[in-house]
C-alpha cells in the first residue's frame, strides 16, 4: 500500500486545489462581480481547511501547503490558457528602460514565465497562510473534544 505523505491521496490534494480554478477563469474572463468573486476566493480555501481538519492529517501545515502549491500550478496553467482571452489585442509589455529592448516573442515568453511563477508563489503563500490556521486548529481541536 502506498504511503500518503500529506494524509490525503495525491488525487484528493489535486481535487482540493482544483476548487480554486473557477475563480481564476471567472477573473480572467471578467464573468462575475465582487460578491461572487469573494465567494470563489474564500469558499475553496474554507473547504481545504475543513477537509484537512476533518481528516486529521498528520501535518496540516504541510498538507495545506501542498494543496496551495498545486493550486498555484493550476492557477498558472489557467492564466496561460486564458492569456489571449484575458488581454485580447493589448497584452502586457515591459515598460521603463526595458520597453522595446527585447523582441516581442522574447518579451512574451519572459512575461508569461514570470506570470506563471507568480501564480505558483501566490498558491504557495495561500497554502502556507491557511496551513498556519490549520496547524493551530489541529492543536485546538483535541482540547475541544475532551
Amino acid at each position: 500500500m502506498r504511503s500518503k505523505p500529506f494524509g490525503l491521496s495525491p488525487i484528493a490534494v489535486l481535487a482540493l486545489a482544483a476548487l480554486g480554478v473557477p475563480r481564476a477563469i471567472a477573473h480572467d474572463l471578467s464573468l462575475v462581480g465582487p460578491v461572487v468573486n469573494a465567494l470563489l476566493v474564500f469558499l475553496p480555501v474554507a473547504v481545504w481547511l475543513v477537509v484537512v481538519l476533518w481528516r486529521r492529517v498528520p501535518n496540516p501545515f504541510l498538507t495545506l501547503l501542498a494543496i496551495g502549491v498545486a493550486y498555484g500550478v493550476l492557477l498558472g496553467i489557467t492564466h496561460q490558457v486564458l492569456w489571449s482571452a484575458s488581454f485580447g489585442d493589448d497584452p502586457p509589455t515591459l515598460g521603463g528602460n526595458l520597453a522595446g529592448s527585447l523582441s516581442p516573442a522574447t518579451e512574451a515568453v519572459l512575461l508569461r514565465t514570470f506570470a506563471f511563477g507568480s501564480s505558483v508563489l501566490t498558491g504557495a503563500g495561500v497554502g502556507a497562510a491557511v496551513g498556519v490556521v490549520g496547524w493551530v486548529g489541529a492543536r485546538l481541536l483535541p482540547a475541544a473534544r475532551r
Side-chain angles (χ1 to χ4, degrees):
M1 187 161 130
R2 290 178 117 175
S3 152
K4 296 179 186 175
F6 302 118
L8 299 172
S9 71
I11 296 294
V13 170
L14 191 58
L16 287 168
L19 293 175
V21 172
R23 188 250 169 223
I25 294 168
H27 175 266
D28 284 2
L29 300 179
S30 301
L31 297 176
V32 297
V35 173
V36 174
N37 186 61
L39 286 173
L40 292 173
V41 167
F42 295 110
L43 210 54
V45 174
V47 170
W48 298 357
L49 187 59
V50 167
V51 168
V52 165
L53 292 175
W54 176 62
R55 293 290 308 267
R56 295 183 183 205
V57 301
N59 187 338
F61 178 82
L62 184 62
T63 302
L64 287 160
L65 179 62
I67 294 168
V69 169
Y71 162 67
V73 170
L74 293 174
L75 182 66
I77 291 168
T78 302
H79 288 322
Q80 295 302 311
V81 169
L82 296 176
W83 189 274
S84 294
S86 182
F87 294 113
D89 292 332
D90 191 27
T93 58
L94 295 174
N97 293 338
L98 296 175
S101 63
L102 301 173
S103 72
T106 302
E107 189 171 311
V109 167
L110 182 68
L111 288 169
R112 283 176 171 253
T113 300
F114 275 93
F116 186 84
S118 173
S119 294
V120 174
L121 287 175
T122 296
V126 170
V130 179
V132 168
V133 174
W135 180 82
V136 169
R139 300 291 178 261
L140 296 176
L141 278 178
R145 292 183 178 159
R146 286 186 208 153

